Amino acid sequence: EKLEPAGIKVVRLNNYLADQMDEELRILAKIFGKEQRAEDYLTWKQSIEQILEERTKDIPEEQKKTVLALSAGALNTNGKYNIYPTSTLDGQAGPGEGYATILAGGADPTPEILWDATKSSTTVNVEEEFVLTANPDVITLHGNFFGGYDAQDGTSFTEVLNNVITNTAVSQMTAGKNKDVYMFYTNFFGSDKGYIGRLQLGKYLYPENFEDIVVEDYINEYFENWLGVPASGVWFYGAK
């Protein structure tokens, strides 16, 4: 508002809220005159989202696995439990990492934890006892200090996983006992490429529903067909 009187147009894009991602891409495409390219990409993206939806839609609520999304950095560094909520105070979709667990076919073990979208942080800090009581079936950990385009193997993931499972209360939870702890590079779960990470989480949660799906094929297609660069990197990793 302060810049517009000076003739400077300002466009703000969140680029991390799953329910806004497509429309934000269309806005960006219009700015750069790439509308058709964007529509072609969205058709491809939505076909992947459709796979996930079709293969999880008939799972009864009582059979869905409970999934808790946590900040890997806070837990790994100082044992803090920072939850990504699945919804906002006013009932809208929560931040990318939290809402993604619902889109992947999971259930929320902490529905009382809600996100205040006016705050800069996308997580809510809770006490360890609260998470122990919630006792999720599955835990997802998120950050951008492990994996990535230049990663050649899962070493950086393994170091964090071993520390979390060994030195926090995660080992006392169902997720930790069963080693249902999964790590995702932020952009491949809670941000612009989240649709690919969500498909992988769906496969982690319900492998029998996704036996014919190779998520890495979509990663390769994304880099090679849409970005025009070699496919590379490690983007997610499981404790199992």
Side-chain angles (χ1 to χ4, degrees):
E1 293 178 358
K2 294 181 179 179
L3 294 174
E4 287 189 358
I8 301 173
K9 295 288 186 180
V10 178
V11 177
R12 182 183 184 277
L13 303 175
N14 288 311
N15 202 39
Y16 69 94
L17 298 175
D19 61 332
Q20 300 176 14
M21 202 73 69
D22 290 3
E23 188 54 38
E24 290 183 340
L25 180 64
R26 290 188 173 101
I27 293 171
L28 194 60
K30 187 173 183 179
I31 293 172
F32 288 97
K34 297 289 185 179
E35 291 94 333
Q36 187 56 55
R37 178 70 169 168
E39 290 304 323
D40 292 343
Y41 170 76
L42 288 174
T43 297
W44 175 77
K45 169 182 176 286
Q46 290 163 4
S47 71
I48 297 172
E49 293 172 326
Q50 188 66 28
I51 294 171
L52 179 61
E53 181 179 355
E54 286 295 323
R55 300 192 186 202
T56 58
K57 68 179 183 179
D58 295 326
I59 300 172
E61 285 297 320
E62 65 274 13
Q63 294 181 19
K64 289 184 176 181
K65 295 182 179 180
T66 57
V67 185
L68 188 66
L70 296 172
S71 165
L75 189 57
N76 183 59
T77 303
N78 49 35
K80 288 187 176 181
Y81 294 85
N82 288 2
I83 295 176
Y84 292 96
T86 61
S87 61
T88 65
L89 291 171
D90 58 357
Q92 302 301 308
E97 293 87 347
Y99 187 53
T101 63
I102 302 300
L103 293 176
D108 188 354
T110 60
E112 64 271 44
I113 301 298
L114 301 173
W115 180 44
D116 183 349
T118 66
K119 304 293 185 182
S120 58
S121 175
T122 55
T123 62
V124 176
N125 178 254
V126 299
E127 296 296 325
E128 182 175 82
E129 185 61 34
F130 177 84
V131 181
L132 281 167
T133 301
N135 192 27
D137 297 319
V138 175
I139 289 174
T140 60
L141 299 174
H142 308 276
N144 56 13
F145 61 95
F146 42 75
Y149 189 79
D150 294 324
Q152 299 300 311
D153 56 41
T155 300
S156 58
F157 291 89
T158 302
E159 292 172 352
V160 176
L161 269 175
N162 289 343
N163 180 53
V164 166
I165 292 177
T166 303
N167 298 315
T168 75
V170 166
S171 62
Q172 303 173 44
M173 304 174 202
T174 297
K177 292 175 182 177
N178 295 333
K179 294 191 175 180
D180 279 321
V181 182
Y182 303 103
M183 300 179 66
F184 291 86
Y185 188 85
T186 293
N187 290 60
F188 267 83
F189 196 80
S191 187
D192 56 306
K193 294 171 281 296
Y195 57 95
I196 297 177
R198 293 194 295 270
L199 184 63
Q200 181 61 49
L201 178 58
K203 186 170 182 174
Y204 282 145
L205 296 178
Y206 313 106
E208 66 281 1
N209 292 7
F210 297 87
E211 289 180 342
D212 61 324
I213 298 298
V214 180
V215 178
E216 287 80 3
D217 289 346
Y218 297 108
I219 294 175
N220 294 344
E221 193 172 352
Y222 171 79
F223 283 113
E224 294 170 1
N225 293 3
W226 295 106
L227 295 189
V229 300
S232 181
V234 182
W235 307 99
F236 40 77
Y237 197 81
K240 287 185 176 180

